[in-house]
Amino acid sequence: MDIKIEPSWKTVLAPEFEKPYFQDLITFVKQEYAFGRCYPPGPQIFAAFDHCPFDKLEVVIIGQDPYHGPKQAHGLCFSVNDGIDFPPSLRNIFEEIRRDLGQPIPASGNLERWARQGVLLLNATLSVRQGQAASHQGKGWETFTDAVIRTVSAQKKDVVFLLWGGYARKKSVLVDQSKHLVLETGHPSPLSANKGHWFGNHHFSKTNEWLASKGKRAIIW
């Protein structure tokens, strides 16, 4: 199956693209986009990979579902297009960066700048129907993105995996922690953050300290 995705990912994920589940998944997604409004726009479904080539990858952040409101989702977890108001979780992410690293809150919630530095912003489900959260869950995306995590774990070394919230933390079993760093904390959503499960996790400074210890460049968060 010819999938339009960044070439280095196309190579390492080639076996997945030929599996029956993935072919069924693509058939489902094409039907959903043909007969209703879905997000992100079709050409941006694999944007997380397109902006972060496999050979440049240093950090993985795992989200659950794309934003399902107009003009928000563009293929990177937690990220929104330029000019779009910050969703609550993203605002809390920026607030933790401010507290952790002393950086000001940015003007844009577009996280392509992270992706270009080697941060894979991976949602477990890569598409969603407008206004219907979790509407594309259980259709095969999770099988695919779990395979992505396993592939990164197996073929890379010294990657930092940031697992925020119960859903993401379950993915820790897919990672070989003898050669990668896994950092876990609560979800940045207000429901979790306001209960003390997000702020003060220092994941951004800890990530940079780990990368520096491996002779790698820090991420400019």
Side-chain angles (χ1 to χ4, degrees):
M1 179 176 290
D2 185 29
I3 299 297
K4 292 183 173 62
I5 193 171
E6 193 276 331
S8 63
W9 284 106
K10 193 167 190 175
T11 298
V12 298
L13 296 175
E16 291 303 308
F17 298 145
E18 301 306 320
K19 293 180 179 178
Y21 88 86
F22 191 83
Q23 298 180 36
D24 292 343
L25 167 63
I26 294 304
T27 298
F28 165 77
V29 171
K30 285 181 176 178
Q31 290 176 340
E32 287 284 288
Y33 276 74
F35 296 107
R37 180 157 292 181
C38 297
Y39 301 117
Q44 296 179 330
I45 288 175
F46 295 107
F49 305 92
D50 296 337
H51 291 293
C52 179
F54 184 77
D55 56 339
K56 303 291 186 185
L57 185 151
E58 305 289 1
V59 180
V60 178
I61 298 177
I62 298 173
Q64 188 165 352
D65 219 27
Y67 298 121
H68 52 80
K71 300 181 180 180
Q72 291 182 305
H74 63 129
L76 310 179
C77 73
F78 295 107
S79 179
V80 291
N81 282 300
D82 292 320
I84 300 299
D85 290 342
F86 301 163
S89 291
L90 182 57
R91 185 172 296 281
N92 284 339
I93 289 170
F94 288 150
E95 175 60 20
E96 174 59 21
I97 292 171
R98 186 190 69 78
R99 298 183 187 190
D100 188 16
L101 299 173
Q103 294 179 196
I105 303 294
S108 173
N110 187 330
L111 302 182
E112 288 177 10
R113 61 186 181 274
W114 294 5
R116 288 192 294 268
Q117 298 176 76
V119 181
L120 180 66
L121 294 155
L122 181 68
N123 273 316
T125 303
L126 299 187
S127 59
V128 69
R129 206 175 297 147
Q130 177 177 282
Q132 299 182 46
S135 51
H136 287 184
Q137 289 183 7
K139 303 297 183 181
W141 277 132
E142 297 91 338
T143 302
F144 173 69
T145 53
D146 280 359
V148 170
I149 297 167
R150 289 193 188 96
T151 298
V152 171
S153 177
Q155 297 190 29
K156 303 278 290 185
K157 66 176 183 177
D158 300 333
V159 172
V160 183
F161 289 82
L162 301 181
L163 309 182
W164 300 338
Y167 184 89
R169 293 170 81 163
K170 291 177 182 177
K171 306 295 184 182
S172 65
V173 298
L174 306 175
V175 180
D176 180 352
Q177 297 188 42
S178 70
K179 63 174 182 173
H180 302 292
L181 176 65
V182 174
L183 298 176
E184 301 183 28
T185 191
H187 197 275
S189 70
L191 185 63
S192 174
N194 293 341
K195 292 180 179 179
H197 301 312
W198 167 255
F199 293 116
N201 62 64
H202 300 291
H203 275 194
F204 304 97
S205 59
K206 289 177 180 178
T207 294
N208 284 348
E209 288 165 5
W210 166 269
L211 293 175
S213 75
K214 303 300 179 181
K216 300 182 178 186
R217 288 186 299 178
I219 304 297
I220 302 172
W221 299 104

